[in-house]
Amino acid sequence: ETGVTQSPTHLIKTRGQQVTLRCSSQSGHNTVSWYQQALGQGPQFIFQYYREEENGRGNFPPRFSGLQFPNYSSELNVNALELDDSALYLCASSPGPIPSGEQYFGPGTRLTVT
Amino acid sequence: AQSVTQPDIHITVSEGASLELRCNYSYGATPYLFWYVQSPGQGLQLLLKYFSGDTLVQGIKGFEAEFKRSQSSFNLRKPSVHWSDAAEYFCAVGGSYNTDKLIFGTGTRLQVFP
């Protein structure tokens, strides 16, 4: 059983560019959540995907968008990058959006915007 | 407003000493509470969770936490700290409908001296 994987590990982009981050969920998990963790802060919920549909969104602008594929892997897209988007982006998968607490996090993608 | 407060940004203890990390929450409904640990370059690992029932919950790595509704607290404890416990610790709260959409505190960095 493989855990949650994310790619790439690190990424450097220029302000105004667009970026795509990828996440493979744990086997058997159909729900993926994305979090942004700025330096020295706790993770902040961006959005969640359940069976390819967005299932809730945090306080992030529309330039943060996502996708979930039939195999339940997911992408996070950020357009028009800003310096404040520099952060660790964490993906987490779970068996479903029901109260289970069984959410497993990947190692994250470190995005630096210059 | 829903929030989690971890009053201690940084705690230093000697190996073998006891540990208590504080967490206070503000949540309008029945809270589901979590403690996660994050080592450098790693994702978040769930230490323990509280949904209902016994207010003292046991987790992995010898950690336990006590839910006190009257104090809106969920403090994490360990009777004897090991050097390998040095990491960042996050308290989080979720709702009964979807425990994946977590609100995290800002974290407490634990340093352990030999």
Side-chain angles (χ1 to χ4, degrees):
Chain A
E1 178 182 282
T2 56
V4 178
T5 60
Q6 293 185 242
S7 63
T9 306
H10 295 88
L11 203 52
I12 300 175
K13 288 287 189 178
T14 303
R15 189 171 48 184
Q17 287 187 316
Q18 177 265 343
V19 69
T20 298
L21 310 182
R22 295 178 175 82
C23 171
S24 291
S25 58
Q26 184 159 318
S27 176
H29 288 186
N30 58 20
T31 302
V32 172
S33 301
W34 285 92
Y35 290 82
Q36 180 196 64
Q37 185 178 14
L39 200 61
Q41 300 296 316
Q44 279 194 289
F45 176 76
I46 302 175
F47 45 56
Q48 180 184 85
Y49 279 82
Y50 170 59
R51 293 185 174 178
E52 303 178 58
E53 297 288 330
E54 187 177 289
N55 184 45
R57 188 179 184 91
N59 189 26
F60 281 82
R63 58 189 185 85
F64 285 78
S65 63
L67 277 175
Q68 189 178 31
F69 300 98
N71 67 354
Y72 302 129
S73 65
S74 177
E75 286 182 353
L76 164 65
N77 298 290
V78 187
N79 293 323
L81 283 167
E82 301 178 359
L83 296 179
D84 285 348
D85 296 332
S86 295
L88 180 68
Y89 288 85
L90 296 166
C91 165
S93 74
S94 62
I98 57 173
S100 70
E102 299 299 330
Q103 184 171 210
Y104 296 89
F105 283 82
T109 293
R110 173 74 62 186
L111 172 65
T112 302
V113 182
T114 62
Chain B
Q2 301 166 353
S3 65
V4 174
T5 301
Q6 293 180 249
D8 305 304
I9 296 172
H10 187 200
I11 284 184
T12 302
V13 299
S14 298
E15 191 170 20
S18 63
L19 173 70
E20 181 169 27
L21 302 183
R22 296 183 291 165
C23 172
N24 293 96
Y25 68 89
S26 173
Y27 200 75
T30 301
Y32 286 19
L33 295 157
F34 305 82
W35 275 99
Y36 284 86
V37 62
Q38 185 177 38
S39 298
Q42 303 294 315
L44 298 168
Q45 182 182 23
L46 179 65
L47 287 175
L48 47 78
K49 61 187 179 186
Y50 172 77
F51 281 11
S52 63
D54 193 347
T55 56
L56 184 64
V57 292
Q58 302 297 320
I60 63 172
K61 304 185 180 187
F63 285 94
E64 66 178 26
E66 186 171 13
F67 172 58
K68 293 185 178 180
R69 185 185 298 276
S70 62
Q71 298 177 20
S72 297
S73 69
F74 188 56
N75 294 348
L76 182 72
R77 300 194 294 247
K78 187 170 185 178
S80 178
V81 170
H82 188 262
W83 64 266
S84 61
D85 293 324
E88 188 93 22
Y89 291 81
F90 292 94
C91 180
V93 65
S96 59
Y97 174 69
N98 188 325
T99 54
D100 292 348
K101 300 172 186 174
L102 297 177
I103 298 168
F104 283 86
T106 52
T108 297
R109 179 167 297 279
L110 174 65
Q111 193 169 9
V112 181
F113 280 111

